[in-house]
Each structure stands twice: as C-alpha cells, then as structure tokens.
C-alpha cells in the first residue's frame, strides 16, 4: 500500500519513528501484515504474535514501532483514511470541476479494487460505532468534508454540477465506490465479475460518474 511513514511517525513508539529507509519499510510490512490479520480476526481476535510472524519480524521488533495492539490498529485504519483523503484534499478552487470529480471517482474505485481488505476493515470499525476512529472522524475528516462541501456548492452555483446537497454527494461517492470492495462477494455472485476485470471496472466507473455528474 502507499507509503504513510510521515503520518505513522506520530503513532510509533517515542524515539522510534522509523524515519530511516529500513524503518519505513518495516512499518509498511507491519501495517500490511496487521491489515491482513485484523481483516480476518478483527481487533479482539488478532494477536501481535501472528502479525509479527506474518510481517517476518520478531514480536519485540514489532513492538519497537508500535507499543500496543490498539496503536497498531489505529495506524492501519489511519493509513486507509489518509489514502482516501489525499485525492479529496487535492480538489481546490483551481481544479476543473468535472475533471476533479472524474479523477476522484476513478481513484476511489482503484482503491476499492487494489485494497479491498482495507475498505472492509474500515467499514467494520465504523459499523461498530468507530470507537477507535471517532475523534479523527469528528475532527480531521469533518473539517476536510466541510471545506470540500463548500467547494462543491460553489461549483453547483456556477452550473458545473447538478444541484444537490454537497455532503450527500460525497456520501454517494463513498458508498458507491466502496461497495465494490465491501460487497465484492455479492457483486461477483450477481455479475460474475469484479473490478479486476478492466471492462467491468469501466462500466462501474461510468455508472458512478453518471450518478455524480449527470453524465458518464
């Protein structure tokens, strides 16, 4: 998954931020392993020993970077949220509205295709009431969504987009794109296809863009 060492430095043990190249690589290995284990066993069932073994590290080495299972779980969730928020944050007043939203939808579908476990784990956390992520959702995410909702509203006022509630438009994008990851088994059962199929990916992209822009 994409590098997230700068964000994760805040979550690592004091004095062990992993800013060396080897440290950053270890952090990514740990997070990839933790994602796989948390996605199967959940937070309660996951064991640090199993994560360390999957990462190819000793348990003390893993704990050098993340002192507790809760720290590690938060880091995994935060990496997914950061990945999703980067393309949203890149939309600004200098962006072409149609190109910006087309790019955003495309990248969200790419993430659903490439990182389905991350999407499903995030969904599980939110369905539990977001006990670990709630503060982040109420602060960082809320601020970004408020600013991008205001931007969307300006684009609607200028006639670039159909008129609708801008926050619900963002919810629509999240729900439709992440559906292909969170309900991948259902999509496969009903269509016999997945986002790994280029043709089906294109069909999904056109359908979501039609809902978002009023045109594909």
């Amino acid at each position: 998954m994409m590098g997230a060492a700068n964000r994760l430095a805040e979550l690592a043990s004091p004095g062990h931020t992993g800013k060396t190249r080897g440290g950053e690589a270890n952090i990514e290995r740990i997070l990839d392993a933790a994602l796989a284990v948390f996605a199967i066993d959940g937070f309660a069932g996951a064991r640090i020993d199993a994560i360390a073994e999957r990462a190819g590290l000793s348990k003390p080495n893993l704990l050098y970077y993340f002192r507790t299972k809760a720290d590690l779980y938060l880091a995994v969730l935060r990496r997914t949220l950061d990945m999703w928020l980067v393309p949203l944050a890149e939309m600004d007043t200098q962006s072409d509205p149609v190109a910006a939203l087309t790019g955003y939808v495309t990248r969200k579908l790419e993430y659903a295709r490439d990182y389905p476990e991350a999407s499903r784990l995030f969904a599980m956390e939110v369905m539990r009431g977001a006990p670990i992520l709630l503060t982040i959702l109420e602060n960082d995410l809320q601020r970004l969504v408020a600013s991008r909702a205001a931007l969307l509203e300006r684009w609607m006022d200028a006639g670039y987009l159909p008129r609708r509630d801008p926050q619900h438009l963002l919810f629509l994008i999240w729900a439709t794109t992440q559906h292909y990851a969170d309900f991948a088994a259902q999509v496969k059962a009903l269509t016999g296809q997945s986002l790994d199929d280029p043709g089906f990916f294109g069909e999904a992209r056109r359908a979501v863009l039609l809902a978002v822009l009023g045109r594909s």
Side-chain angles (χ1 to χ4, degrees), residues 195-216:
L195 292 183
D196 290 325
D197 304 311
F200 187 72
F201 183 97
E203 291 173 6
R205 179 177 178 273
R206 285 190 292 273
V208 177
L209 287 174
L210 181 61
V212 172
L213 300 174
R215 52 184 159 170
S216 58

Side-chain angles (χ1 to χ4, degrees), residues 109-164:
L109 282 171
E110 289 171 344
Y111 295 151
R113 177 193 64 200
D114 298 339
Y115 310 115
E117 286 182 331
S119 182
R120 288 192 286 267
L121 182 64
F122 192 92
M124 287 169 55
E125 165 68 12
V126 174
M127 287 189 290
R128 292 173 56 230
I132 302 294
L133 271 183
L134 188 58
T135 299
I136 293 171
L137 298 181
E138 290 179 338
N139 292 284
D140 297 7
L141 182 59
Q142 187 179 64
R143 284 192 294 270
L144 180 59
V145 167
S147 69
R148 292 309 175 266
L151 176 62
L152 291 172
E153 194 153 25
R154 286 198 292 273
W155 288 347
M156 292 173 196
D157 290 340
Y160 292 111
L161 303 173
R163 172 65 60 184
R164 80 278 300 274

